[in-house]
Amino acid sequence: MPELPEVEAARRAIETHCLGKKIKSSIVADDPKVIDGVSPSDFQASLLGKTIVAAHRKGKNMWLELDSPPFPSFQFGMAGALYIKGVAIAKYVRSAVNDTDEWPSKYSKLFMELEDGLELSFTDKRRFAKVRLLKDPKSVPPISELGPDALYELMPVDEFAESLSKKKIAIKALLLDQSYISGIGNWIADEVLYQSRIHPLQHSFSLSKESCETLHKCIKEVIEKALEVGADSSQFPSSWIFHSREKKPGKAFVDGKKIDFITAGGRTTAYVPELQKLTGKKTGKAPSRSTKQSSDKDENGDGEDEDELGSNKETTEKAKSKKGQKTSRGAAMKPPVKRSKESGSDDDGDDGEEKKTTKMSKTQKTKVETSQKKLKNSNTSAHLKKKAKK
């Protein structure tokens, strides 16, 4: 999916080619799943005649500042992309539109023609993106809920290390948390962890200061390098794990080393076990998070990651609780045992059960004695008949 470099490349393209130009016409798709909270006709009317003053971005969100509000904002989702006709903008994995496709694309959600004839289109084949019309995009979700931008607002290294020391959550999940740092998605998180030699399930608080400093450096370097090549993934360094993330397990290698795939932070995660090892003690339970992490055995044989152990323990406790509730409900639903007058009643119930057992034993004894008498009588009768014949 598009992450910070891809969205920033789109923002820069608009900044270079579209600022100061009026919107001559627009076409907004009748797709309420993507066009959020406004009708296509109202959206189009709000854009007509407006001038594009600036293009802004925070994290993986972008918005156009016009000469008067409201402003169109774009949450790119899984496959959202911005195209300017005749202008090369970064292409990324799973991009929906090719140069040979019709223009505007059938997947276009917002098309605009500017006064000089320049045309731009926001497309989304998978329909996970959101296009909104907002008076102040920064003051409302999702942008208002974002943490510092990973490119322009990354916290100083010492502050970064101090912050990580207080986070009881796996580092991959933390990097994906847009309220902590915005703009880092799945591929960037995998890349910076690989280059930092940090296991995706390593707890943030357990990282050494040196590891924190290396991670901070790698975040800056990966994003800046991606932007240096216009977010064109085909030009990313060949040594990056990025190029093998889409390969099948068992066939994925980077620099000759095997890549394994696990789930971390709720996402499929590529890492190199030989280089990225879980270290330190894994004690206690991480705070409950909205994203689940898969279990993974580290190379030292320590077993499941602490987060997952905590999760498994919690699940087990819930299962036991449910089982106990089920047993209690089942016991409550059983009809009370009918007691005869001979057995009487008692508060504890144990004595009553003992009397019942005793009574059953006497009954069985009586039946046996009766059967024996019948057999004896039968044998005696047969003997007398035989004697009479003689």
Side-chain angles (χ1 to χ4, degrees):
M1 64 177 290
E3 300 180 22
L4 188 156
E6 292 86 357
V7 180
E8 176 65 11
R11 187 201 69 80
R12 292 181 181 184
I14 290 179
E15 189 173 64
T16 301
H17 299 279
C18 303
L19 297 193
K21 298 178 181 179
K22 287 186 177 181
I23 300 172
K24 180 180 178 181
S25 65
S26 67
I27 301 174
V28 179
D30 185 10
D31 185 354
K33 184 177 180 182
V34 177
I35 307 300
D36 189 26
V38 60
S39 69
S41 58
D42 288 345
F43 206 134
Q44 290 169 190
S46 295
L47 298 178
L48 190 61
K50 298 288 185 66
T51 300
I52 300 175
V53 175
H56 303 282
R57 179 198 57 78
K58 185 163 186 178
K60 294 180 278 186
N61 294 263
M62 185 184 77
W63 67 98
L64 303 183
E65 181 182 346
L66 307 180
D67 53 3
S68 64
F71 308 140
S73 72
F74 307 87
Q75 188 174 359
F76 281 56
M78 293 294 291
L82 186 81
Y83 295 88
I84 299 176
K85 191 173 184 180
V87 176
I89 301 180
K91 296 179 181 179
Y92 46 86
V93 178
R94 301 191 184 108
S95 178
V97 179
N98 298 315
D99 293 337
T100 56
D101 289 346
E102 61 183 310
W103 179 266
S105 167
K106 63 181 178 180
Y107 303 116
S108 177
K109 303 303 174 182
L110 173 59
F111 170 83
M112 291 185 287
E113 180 184 3
L114 306 184
E115 60 183 346
D116 64 347
L118 193 67
E119 298 176 348
L120 58 152
S121 172
F122 181 83
T123 67
D124 181 25
K125 181 177 181 180
R126 301 187 68 182
R127 301 176 67 216
F128 287 109
K130 295 293 182 185
V131 180
R132 302 179 174 94
L133 195 62
L134 304 170
K135 290 183 178 181
D136 184 8
K138 292 184 294 184
S139 67
V140 295
I143 298 172
S144 64
E145 297 175 344
L146 297 177
D149 184 77
L151 176 63
Y152 294 123
E153 302 169 332
L154 187 62
M155 61 188 80
V157 63
D158 290 340
E159 184 181 337
F160 182 67
E162 177 67 19
S163 174
L164 292 180
S165 70
K166 300 176 182 179
K167 300 293 183 179
K168 295 183 179 180
I169 180 175
I171 187 62
K172 171 69 182 281
L174 183 61
L175 292 176
L176 293 178
D177 184 351
Q178 299 301 295
S179 67
Y180 180 67
I181 299 176
S182 60
I184 296 178
N186 204 29
W187 80 256
I188 293 180
D190 283 357
E191 193 63 55
V192 298
L193 290 175
Y194 164 65
Q195 294 189 28
S196 303
R197 304 301 190 250
I198 298 172
H199 194 288
L201 296 178
Q202 185 75 42
H203 272 152
S204 303
F205 72 84
S206 68
L207 293 172
S208 66
K209 185 176 180 181
E210 182 180 0
S211 292
C212 293
E213 291 172 349
T214 302
L215 179 58
H216 186 275
K217 178 183 177 183
C218 288
I219 291 173
K220 292 182 64 177
E221 288 182 346
V222 167
I223 293 175
E224 288 174 357
K225 182 60 180 179
L227 286 170
E228 186 181 312
V229 296
D232 183 349
S233 60
S234 67
Q235 296 185 50
F236 290 171
S238 59
S239 60
W240 282 15
I241 198 174
F242 175 91
H243 300 289
S244 299
R245 293 179 68 255
E246 300 294 321
K247 294 181 180 179
K248 294 181 180 180
K251 296 184 178 180
F253 295 86
V254 57
D255 285 343
K257 293 179 174 58
K258 182 183 177 182
I259 297 172
D260 273 357
F261 297 89
I262 58 174
T263 300
R267 303 295 300 278
T268 299
T269 298
Y271 80 112
V272 178
E274 185 180 339
L275 301 176
Q276 297 168 261
K277 299 178 182 290
L278 280 171
T279 60
K281 295 181 180 180
K282 298 179 281 297
T283 59
K285 179 182 172 184
S288 176
R289 305 291 298 183
S290 61
T291 53
K292 293 182 180 180
Q293 296 173 28
S294 72
S295 62
D296 175 56
K297 290 190 175 182
D298 66 24
E299 286 63 42
N300 296 319
D302 292 335
E304 293 177 308
D305 175 67
E306 179 186 339
D307 280 342
E308 194 60 24
L309 284 172
S311 177
N312 289 343
K313 182 178 179 182
E314 186 177 356
T315 302
T316 303
E317 292 299 326
K318 287 182 179 179
K320 286 181 179 179
S321 177
K322 288 182 179 179
K323 184 176 180 181
Q325 292 173 5
K326 184 177 180 181
T327 304
S328 300
R329 288 196 297 267
M333 290 173 68
K334 290 180 180 179
V337 177
K338 292 183 179 180
R339 301 181 183 277
S340 64
K341 290 182 179 180
E342 290 90 344
S343 67
S345 62
D346 60 279
D347 294 332
D348 296 332
D350 294 338
D351 189 45
E353 288 297 322
E354 184 179 350
K355 288 181 181 180
K356 182 179 179 182
T357 303
T358 304
K359 183 179 179 182
M360 288 176 65
S361 299
K362 289 180 179 179
T363 302
Q364 291 174 350
K365 185 177 180 180
T366 302
K367 287 182 178 179
V368 171
E369 290 175 349
T370 302
S371 298
Q372 289 175 342
K373 286 180 181 180
K374 287 182 179 180
L375 180 60
K376 184 177 181 180
N377 291 336
S378 176
N379 291 338
T380 302
S381 177
H383 177 72
L384 291 174
K385 288 181 180 179
K386 186 176 181 181
K387 188 174 181 180
K389 285 181 180 180
K390 291 181 178 180

